[in-house]
Amino acid sequence: MNIVLGITGSIAAYKACTLIRQFVKAGHEVQVVITPAGKEFVTPITLSALTSKPVVSEFFAQRDGSWHSHVALGQWADAMVIAPATASSIAKMAHGVADNMLITTYLSMKAPVFVAPAMDLDMYAHPTTQANLNQLRSYGNYIVEPGTGFLASHLEGKGRMEEPDEIFRQVMDVLQPEGCSNCSQEGRLVGRRVLITAGPTHESIDPARYIGNHSTGKMGFALAEAAAAEGAEVELIAGPVALSVKHPRIRRTDVVSAEQMHEAAMRLFPSCTDGILCAAVADYRPAQCADVKIKRETQAEMTLTLVQNPDIAAALGQVKTDGQRLVGFALETAASAEALHYGEDKLRRKNLDYIVVNSLCDAGAGFGVDTNKVTIVSANGQQQSLPLADKSEVAREIIRRCL
Ligand code: C5P
């Protein structure tokens, strides 16, 4: 494959050399495009020696004035990987500020683009960086999430460019899903598109308060990773959670309320082959959200009128076509036998193909913890109980048995 590797001005540029070696060793051709600032961190001589190709940096070759065609590069490439990507380059990419060869190449790119951010923790967390990354996601670019750890600034936090091994794996998982490194059955879900809801919803009472629940989204995010690892494209609709996605085939839509989750699910489900409804959606929301913060002094007691939220699972169950599969979850406070009974009832009412039942009575199951203990009930009445295990292991089993 032909890979355009974009390098921008970050200390993590030294890791690009290892990444090049990995692509070259795996038999791929690499063409480096580097920004002027990138050259301050790693020399073109090193890069051209590793790639056996002259490095492209300027619009024109200084030697003979010949034009470097970013359009031709855009057509030559099977993928563009920008690693490291600084906050500045990400902003330019998001807004089309084509003032260097790397950005013009990005704008001309026909192939999938992977962006591996590298910056200080505060720069990464800044709303403008996050908004720009979301902008890139909306263009269909894959973001290789940075890791958390020791940064060049001697601070510790999220912003450290992902290691070359992991960037290589994520790129290859997309380009060659049938050979993906951590598939339990290689590429079994290639061609499938799976909608997953995850996390809680927050229902506003006033601009400062909400009604919520204890869901952290861990199970839903683990399901998204497991489905993507087997080759599926994942549409993850996440309520307010403090989690990030790793796999580049997961496209994330963030929502806050049940109504927003319902709108996103109804919009995305028709283009999906499967749906897994793992979110702990609030059943009710305040009939009205106050415009200003409700003052304690004004009333000794308060009564909130709640109205029912849409049941997303049931709504998708109604529009589900023959080829589509729907998996729901039922978290119960009853003991196992009774919990299963409630689960079966939900499966029928919501027109699901499977329901994954878990009980808060079981130690190690439910909200917040890293483990879960579930029973999968299918529409034909079969029950499969899985042992208590890590949520990522449980997720792999659910994906394997239900999709
Ligand atoms: O709340 P309940 O126990 O009925 O949830 C069972 C299933 O329905 C879960 O899969 C949950 O994600 C889904 N659900 C939903 N929308 C709701 C309530 C529940 O999608 N408003």
Side-chain angles (χ1 to χ4, degrees), residues 197 258 261 276-283 309-314 316 327-332 346 349-350 352 355:
T197 65
M261 190 174 274
I276 305 181
L277 306 158
C278 189
V281 185
D283 288 327
N309 269 327
D311 186 327
I312 301 165
L316 298 186
V327 183
F329 272 68
L331 174 69
E332 305 295 343
K346 281 176 193 171
R349 270 194 292 116
K350 302 187 189 209
L352 307 172
I355 193 148

Side-chain angles (χ1 to χ4, degrees), residues 177-190 229-231:
E178 62 287 357
C180 86
S181 46
N182 60 351
C183 299
S184 50
Q185 285 176 32
E186 288 187 348
R188 196 177 58 83
L189 299 181
V190 171
E230 290 210 34

Side-chain angles (χ1 to χ4, degrees), residues 230-400:
E230 290 210 34
E233 294 284 336
V234 177
E235 292 284 0
L236 174 66
I237 306 174
V241 294
L243 298 174
S244 53
V245 292
K246 277 220 168 285
H247 203 291
R249 261 198 306 278
I250 303 173
R251 212 167 68 120
R252 173 177 179 166
T253 304
D254 285 307
V255 297
V256 176
S257 66
E259 283 184 300
Q260 289 168 356
M261 190 174 274
H262 176 252
E263 184 282 317
M266 295 304 279
R267 178 166 45 81
L268 294 170
F269 188 57
S271 65
C272 293
T273 52
D274 309 85
I276 305 181
L277 306 158
C278 189
V281 185
D283 288 327
Y284 294 90
R285 67 176 181 276
Q288 270 154 5
C289 170
D291 291 338
V292 292
K293 194 175 166 201
I294 300 167
K295 292 268 178 276
R296 188 183 12 188
E297 301 79 50
T298 56
Q299 43 199 346
E301 271 188 4
M302 191 168 104
T303 306
L304 277 179
T305 305
L306 303 178
V307 294
Q308 223 173 51
N309 269 327
D311 186 327
I312 301 165
L316 298 186
Q318 278 192 353
V319 299
K320 184 178 75 167
T321 58
D322 282 347
Q324 287 177 308
R325 207 167 307 177
L326 263 190
V327 183
F329 272 68
L331 174 69
E332 305 295 343
T333 46
S336 298
E338 210 179 344
L340 283 175
H341 176 69
Y342 288 136
E344 281 166 351
D345 178 53
K346 281 176 193 171
L347 179 136
R348 268 192 304 278
R349 270 194 292 116
K350 302 187 189 209
N351 192 26
L352 307 172
D353 298 284
Y354 294 92
I355 193 148
V356 180
V357 183
N358 56 350
S359 166
L360 285 178
C361 294
D362 286 327
F367 292 139
V369 289
D370 288 327
T371 52
N372 208 355
K373 185 168 182 291
V374 305
T375 300
I376 302 171
V377 181
S378 66
N380 64 15
Q382 275 192 342
Q383 291 183 6
Q384 309 172 66
S385 292
L386 306 184
L388 179 74
D390 198 77
K391 279 185 174 160
S392 54
E393 182 55 38
V394 174
R396 277 195 289 275
E397 277 304 308
I398 293 171
I399 296 293
R400 199 171 69 76

